[in-house]
Each structure stands twice: as C-alpha cells, then as structure tokens.
Amino acid sequence: MFRDQLLIDSSPRIPLEELREKFGFWRIALSLLINEMRLRRRYNAIADLSDRMRRDMGLPLEERFPPPSRPSFWDIRF
C-alpha cells in the first residue's frame, strides 16, 4: 500500500498548491512565521540564571571568575 501511494502521489507540489489555493500565500507564510516563533520560545536560555536557580534545577554551576583587581597605591610597601 505504501509503495503504491509513493508511485501515485510522489510530488509534494500538488498538496502545496492545494493549500495555496485554499488559504492563500500570505496566510500560509504568516502561519509558518507564527509557528517558528512558538518553537523558538520553547527553548529557554539558561545562561542568565543565577547559581542558586541552577542548583535548584539540578544544573551544573557556572564558573564565574572575579574581575581582575586594579593595583592600588595604598598597597605599595617600601
């Protein structure tokens, strides 16, 4: 059955043309754009989370190095 379907309907252009005739180009383009935005919103970035939230979620803690300190004139000893 599956091989027969591939032989009969092997071109994806026919369903796309039917969709375009039924809904129009702009509606299809808008629905694809909305769907892409929804998919991108599902993946949350964890780079901005604090170490406490990472620990609560069971994620590895981020190694944060303190900024290099500037030399102070008060530290100079003779």
Side-chain angles (χ1 to χ4, degrees), residues 45-64:
I46 60 170
D48 298 330
L49 294 178
S50 67
D51 285 338
R52 182 175 182 157
M53 290 188 75
R54 286 175 174 265
R55 187 174 40 239
D56 289 345
M57 294 169 53
L59 297 173
L61 300 178
E62 182 177 304
E63 295 180 17
R64 295 184 183 168

Side-chain angles (χ1 to χ4, degrees), residues 16-48:
L16 290 176
E17 289 176 4
E18 290 175 3
L19 280 174
R20 188 181 55 81
E21 288 175 5
K22 186 174 182 181
F23 297 108
F25 173 77
W26 292 110
R27 265 198 187 165
I28 294 172
L30 182 64
S31 66
L32 288 173
L33 180 68
I34 290 172
N35 190 28
E36 183 65 27
M37 297 297 282
R38 284 183 189 159
L39 290 176
R40 285 185 182 211
R41 223 180 299 157
R42 287 183 191 166
Y43 302 109
N44 295 327
I46 60 170
D48 298 330

